[in-house]
């Protein structure tokens, strides 16, 4: 992508309304724009990151055996009356009336709708286990939308729903999502800690929140330090196998959110292993048995020929919130530092002297080579000051910068800067290309 043809509305001033660094940086880097309280447009740079996050979430959901579909944002109130949640959900639900005076709502979550789909088709234990998910916009009329997209009113969520014949099978479905979540967040370079959590309006008796430790996190959390160094389950994880040992290893050390905190249990661990911090909830998984299937009549035939309500769980990932969490976890004074897996582009190619024939030619050739190699490059071909170019590249945080100017090119060299470390190297054009390509494909 050529910067001259891209839409990257960088803000010079630090926006006053933004209280936390991720919100400030997303506004300054032209990634999002607030349209109403807690409702944002995703500008091209932000949208690219959102898609990358979605893709990782999708790949890991698919790997764990979940099947993707897409449900609408608008739901009928009648469906929610069946579960009893229409009135219970309160003011957080955005209620709408259509032209026929039918009561509708903008979905804050989809337990009812997925249960309706399930009961419409599935009759037998032979069709289980089943886990269906989608990535769709949700609306919750939060009392205090804040911190930008971190606590929005409209936000993008991945929500999966599992259906099993009994509690034991449902536990396996829960474990699969638990492990998929560990992998998902690790692939984004995040350390997410599963913590025992309250179930709130979703319900159920078993639940974990996946928490990123960050000073600006909204919740107080408590955990054992050992969880910070646990190894993530690898690519070779067999999701059909018994995942209990993995889940046990992650749930045995103490970890709980404020609502579930047990001071005595926490104090029983050695003082130097106690972590009391703040955290950002990027995922939340629930097992709630027959809470929805029973009232909504989602039943299946067992192998013995009896009919039973199906056991369910639901599993959410805050896809849009993750972008804020990623920035909170990885930035410096100059701006964002994206991990390569979610970076909007991999390389920023800086032409220090557009209009200079030799520099233009070298940059064009590099631009094409990167594109042909499947490496996403943002080519700053704009006629602006070098200082402004560097500041913009640092702000938007692409993993590598390749800086080319007439002086270096006279000697056949360019500069490569690694955003995360700030390390700079002067290399031949060939060596610079190879270095970046190898680093991104290793
Ligand atoms: N149906 C269940 C799981 S599928 C559910 O709705 N769970 S939830 O309420 O915990 O939300 C799932 C995830 O969405 C949360 O872990 C959080 O990361 C994200 N989320 C929730 N509310 C917001 C919000 N207002 N803004 C941004 N992300 C949010």
């Amino acid at each position: 992508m050529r910067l001259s043809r891209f839409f990257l509305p960088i803000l010079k001033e630090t926006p006053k309304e933004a209280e936390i660094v991720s919100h400030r940086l997303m506004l300054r880097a032209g990634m999002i724009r607030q349209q109403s309280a807690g409702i944002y447009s995703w500008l091209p740079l932000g949208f690219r990151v959102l898609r990358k996050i979605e893709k990782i979430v999708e790949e890991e959901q698919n790997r764990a055996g979940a099947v993707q579909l897409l449900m609408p944002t608008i739901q009928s109130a009648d469906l929610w009356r069946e579960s009893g949640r229409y009135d219970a959900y309160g003011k957080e639900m955005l209620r709408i009336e259509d032209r026929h005076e039918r009561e509708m709502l903008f979905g804050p979550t989809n337990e009812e709708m997925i249960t309706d789909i399930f009961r419409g088709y599935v009759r037998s234990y032979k069709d289980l286990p089943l886990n269906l998910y989608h990535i769709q916009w949700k609306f919750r009329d939060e009392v205090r939308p804040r911190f930008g997209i971190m606590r929005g009113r409209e936000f993008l969520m991945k929500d999966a729903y599992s259906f099993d014949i009994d509690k034991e099978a449902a536990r396996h479905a829960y474990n699969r999502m638990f492990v998929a979540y560990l992998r998902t967040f690790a692939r984004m370079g995040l350390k997410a800690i599963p913590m025992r959590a309250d179930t709130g309006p979703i319900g159920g008796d078993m639940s974990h929140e996946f928490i990123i430790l960050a000073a600006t996190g909204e919740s107080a959390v408590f955990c054992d330090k050992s969880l910070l160094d646990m190894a993530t389950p690898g690519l070779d994880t067999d999701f059909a196998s018994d995942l209990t040992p993995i889940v046990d290893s992650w749930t045995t050390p103490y970890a709980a959110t404020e609502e579930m905190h047990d001071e005595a249990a926490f104090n029983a661990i050695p003082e130097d292993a106690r972590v009391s911090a703040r955290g950002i909830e990027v995922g939340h998984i629930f097992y709630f048995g027959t809470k929805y299937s029973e009232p909504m009549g989602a039943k299946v035939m067992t192998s013995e020929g009896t009919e039973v309500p199906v056991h369910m769980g639901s599993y959410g990932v805050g896809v849009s919130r993750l972008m804020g969490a990623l920035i909170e976890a990885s930035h410096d004074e100059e701006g964002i530092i994206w991990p390569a897996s979610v970076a909007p582009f991999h390389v920023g190619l800086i032409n220090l002297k557009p209009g200079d024939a030799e520099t233009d030619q070298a940059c064009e050739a590099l631009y094409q080579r990167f594109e042909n190699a499947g490496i996403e490059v943002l080519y700053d071909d704009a006629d602006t000051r070098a200082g402004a170019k560097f500041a913009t590249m640092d702000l938007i945080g692409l993993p590598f910068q390749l800086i080319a100017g007439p002086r270096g090119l006279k000697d056949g060299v360019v500069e490569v800067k690694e955003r995360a470390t700030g390390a700079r190297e002067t290399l031949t054009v060939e060596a610079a290309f190879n270095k970046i390509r190898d680093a991104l494909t290793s």
Side-chain angles (χ1 to χ4, degrees), residues 109 111 140 142 150 152 155 159 281 284 286 314-316 318:
T109 176
E111 279 80 6
R140 293 183 185 172
E142 301 275 352
M150 202 80 97
F155 59 97
D159 37 328
E281 176 200 331
H284 197 164
F286 305 81
S314 75
Y315 315 89

Side-chain angles (χ1 to χ4, degrees), residues 36-325:
S36 302
I39 301 179
Y40 290 85
S41 286
W42 296 80
L43 303 180
L45 194 75
F47 188 56
R48 288 181 74 98
V49 179
L50 196 65
R51 282 277 178 258
K52 297 255 168 114
I53 295 173
E54 265 187 84
K55 188 160 177 275
I56 293 178
V57 171
E58 272 172 23
E59 284 173 7
E60 294 303 325
Q61 287 294 290
N62 297 346
R63 194 191 309 285
V67 182
Q68 194 170 19
L69 46 58
L70 183 60
M71 292 176 268
T73 53
I74 307 295
Q75 309 188 20
S76 120
D78 286 341
L79 203 50
W80 284 66
R81 289 206 171 89
E82 287 191 46
S83 70
R85 277 208 297 183
Y86 188 61
D87 295 322
Y89 219 93
K91 280 190 180 276
E92 268 199 13
M93 180 184 277
L94 181 65
R95 295 156 208 260
I96 313 163
E97 203 175 77
D98 72 7
R99 67 200 297 166
H100 305 293
E101 294 173 8
R102 273 188 291 251
E103 292 171 277
M104 313 292 284
L105 58 102
F106 195 121
T109 176
N110 282 58
E111 279 80 6
E112 284 77 1
M113 190 173 277
I114 202 79
T115 306
D116 176 60
I117 292 173
F118 180 90
R119 74 180 170 189
Y121 302 100
V122 183
R123 300 269 171 271
S124 161
Y125 72 95
K126 289 182 192 151
D127 298 320
L128 303 181
L130 183 64
N131 184 329
L132 298 171
Y133 80 98
H134 72 160
I135 298 181
Q136 178 63 291
W137 295 93
K138 306 290 187 292
F139 195 95
R140 293 183 185 172
D141 205 351
E142 301 275 352
V143 200
R144 257 193 94 198
R146 58 182 190 152
F147 299 161
I149 49 81
M150 202 80 97
R151 178 163 297 280
R153 291 200 296 166
E154 189 186 53
F155 59 97
L156 192 59
M157 190 201 287
K158 183 286 299 182
D159 37 328
Y161 303 88
S162 65
F163 302 89
D164 286 276
I165 193 72
D166 55 26
K167 187 165 184 176
E168 198 190 323
R171 176 82 211 207
H172 181 58
Y174 187 91
N175 289 349
R176 281 204 302 223
M177 286 293 109
F178 189 106
V179 173
Y181 277 33
L182 293 174
R183 286 192 44 79
T184 302
F185 301 126
R187 279 186 60 187
M188 297 174 196
L190 290 171
K191 216 163 239 164
I193 303 169
M195 303 199 178
R196 282 184 355 100
D198 190 22
T199 57
I202 308 292
D205 58 12
M206 178 167 65
S207 174
H208 287 91
E209 279 180 17
F210 287 74
I211 301 278
I212 310 290
L213 300 186
T216 48
E218 283 192 289
S219 20
V221 295
F222 307 86
C223 72
D224 189 315
K225 204 166 110 197
S226 64
L227 286 162
L228 297 171
D229 301 314
M230 298 265 291
T232 309
L235 248 186
D236 56 352
T237 305
D238 176 6
F239 282 89
S241 70
D242 180 13
L243 300 169
T244 314
I246 302 180
V247 173
D248 283 353
S249 69
W250 280 86
T251 51
T252 306
Y254 186 87
T257 59
E258 198 167 19
E259 300 81 31
M260 302 300 276
H261 186 45
D262 174 349
E263 197 70 37
F266 186 59
N267 289 337
I269 56 180
E271 197 169 352
D272 63 350
R274 284 179 223 158
V275 177
S276 156
R278 301 201 66 81
I280 302 169
E281 176 200 331
V282 288
H284 197 164
I285 62 177
F286 305 81
Y287 164 72
F288 42 72
T290 59
K291 176 175 173 184
Y292 300 90
S293 56
E294 187 113 45
M296 293 186 66
K299 296 182 193 137
V300 286
M301 218 45 113
T302 64
S303 55
E304 283 94 46
T306 51
E307 236 187 8
V308 294
V310 76
H311 284 249
M312 292 175 61
S314 75
Y315 315 89
V317 169
V319 173
S320 48
R321 175 178 289 183
L322 266 168
M323 199 177 316

Side-chain angles (χ1 to χ4, degrees), residues 417-438:
K417 174 174 162 183
E418 203 177 322
R419 177 65 181 89
T421 59
R424 294 161 174 279
E425 240 182 309
T426 301
L427 298 167
T428 63
V429 172
E430 187 65 25
F433 174 83
N434 290 341
K435 181 188 162 78
I436 293 174
R437 183 200 51 201
D438 295 349

